[in-house]
Amino acid sequence: MDKQLIAERFSKAIATYPQEANVQRQIADKMIHLLTEHISFPCSKVIEFGCGTGIYSRMLLQALRPKELLLNDLCPEMKYCCEDILRKEQVSFLPGDAETVPFPAESTLITSCSALQWFESPENFFKRCNTLLNNQGYFAFSTFGKENMKEIRELTGNGLPYRSREELVTALSSHFDILHSEEELISLSFDNPLKVLYHLKQTGVTGISGTSSQQLRTRRDLQLFSERYTQEFTQGTSVSLTYHPIYIIAKKKKV
């Protein structure tokens, strides 16, 4: 993972992400529902890694009402997107790479929406979270599975190294009891392939998921990409883009 590139792409998309990230908002809604269904309250010390522009953060604050909510993101600029909730006494922001940044111990909940797929080693991070949680702590996240943006992967041959739900559950199970896991496929429709690329750029994903400027740098490249995309992925009068969210709620194993 080129963490600097990831940070740059998402920083450039700060202004457009909230309007374009409808799938991410839908996933965040579902995560909140699952949290309130499966975890015990109160949830006093919460860490959210990969907070982005704060879509999930605001939901967490309202639904869980934690005494402490630490927001983290790879992009320091995301702090300015969360200024409204950072004015609250219980909310703070810690920039940096969640795989290495020093999080506080004895947390009640470590959680995230749509961020874990960017990690070098989710497996090492699971082990780390186990040590950061208190004995009754929870680890809850959504990420994306192997079918995510399959259209882009099939046409470019590139994509993130997504884990399957089974692989994630297996990696978690030595440290956590799995309370809930599920996955779904969400298909978005666009008028044409260029609007797919525009959507990805507006959410900060372009350049990382396999639609980099190196691959689509000429008008001819774009034309060929569009022709193949239209041929392979037309549904009715539109083309599709697949999201594959995975949801997991886990609790720290008792020693």
Side-chain angles (χ1 to χ4, degrees):
M1 294 291 174
D2 186 338
K3 295 290 180 79
Q4 183 177 349
L5 176 60
I6 293 169
E8 287 173 1
R9 297 295 183 182
F10 280 105
S11 294
K12 288 179 180 178
I14 281 176
T16 54
Y17 185 91
Q19 292 79 24
E20 198 70 31
N22 293 320
V23 170
Q24 289 82 353
R25 186 173 287 103
Q26 178 181 333
I27 292 168
D29 275 329
K30 183 160 184 170
M31 275 299 298
I32 292 295
H33 172 75
L34 291 172
L35 280 175
T36 55
E37 187 176 323
H38 291 284
I39 73 171
S40 301
F41 292 91
C43 213
S44 55
K45 291 179 66 176
V46 177
I47 298 172
E48 183 197 353
F49 61 91
C51 69
T53 58
I55 292 172
Y56 183 50
S57 316
R58 294 174 181 87
M59 296 180 186
L60 280 171
L61 191 62
Q62 184 174 1
L64 303 186
R65 302 195 179 281
K67 291 181 181 177
E68 298 176 32
L69 174 59
L70 174 62
L71 305 180
N72 156 262
D73 200 88
L74 184 64
C75 308
E77 297 87 350
M78 294 302 178
K79 179 178 182 179
Y80 304 108
C81 303
C82 301
E83 282 184 334
D84 56 322
I85 55 175
L86 285 169
R87 294 190 194 102
K88 298 181 183 295
E89 184 180 355
Q90 70 269 43
V91 186
S92 58
F93 183 85
L94 177 65
D97 183 348
E99 295 190 79
T100 56
V101 74
F103 286 138
E106 293 297 308
S107 293
T108 316
L109 169 67
I110 299 175
T111 188
S112 173
C113 248
S114 308
L116 194 75
Q117 66 275 8
W118 304 112
F119 282 26
E120 288 280 359
S121 176
E123 296 80 7
N124 288 341
F125 186 68
F126 297 160
K127 184 177 180 180
R128 181 173 179 233
C129 286
N130 177 266
T131 65
L132 291 169
L133 289 165
N134 66 22
N135 289 333
Q136 301 297 317
Y138 295 91
F139 182 40
F141 64 90
S142 73
T143 186
F144 293 104
K146 291 179 179 292
E147 293 294 297
N148 201 58
M149 298 187 189
K150 62 180 182 180
E151 298 87 351
I152 303 295
R153 183 189 299 270
E154 286 186 29
L155 294 183
T156 66
N158 287 338
L160 295 176
Y162 298 111
R163 272 73 168 175
S164 68
R165 181 170 62 90
E166 292 77 14
E167 287 170 334
L168 291 167
V169 167
T170 298
L172 282 163
S173 292
S174 58
H175 308 291
F176 296 93
D177 294 318
I178 309 301
L179 305 182
H180 182 85
S181 73
E182 69 172 285
E183 58 192 320
E184 62 183 335
L185 295 177
I186 300 172
S187 182
L188 297 187
S189 296
F190 295 89
D191 292 339
N192 57 63
L194 292 181
K195 290 194 175 180
V196 173
L197 295 180
Y198 179 79
H199 163 75
L200 294 176
K201 184 177 181 181
Q202 298 295 85
T203 57
V205 176
T206 299
I208 309 156
S209 68
T211 58
S212 69
S213 57
Q214 288 184 335
Q215 288 183 292
L216 302 176
R217 56 189 169 189
T218 69
R219 187 171 296 180
R220 180 61 177 160
D221 291 336
L222 281 172
Q223 182 181 347
L224 288 172
F225 175 84
S226 296
E227 288 173 357
R228 289 186 61 207
Y229 204 112
T230 302
Q231 183 178 358
E232 297 288 337
F233 305 113
T234 294
Q235 296 180 347
T237 59
S238 59
V239 296
S240 64
L241 178 67
T242 302
Y243 282 88
H244 179 192
I246 296 172
Y247 309 85
I248 296 180
I249 313 291
K251 187 172 185 180
K252 183 173 178 175
K253 280 186 181 289
K254 292 183 179 178
V255 179

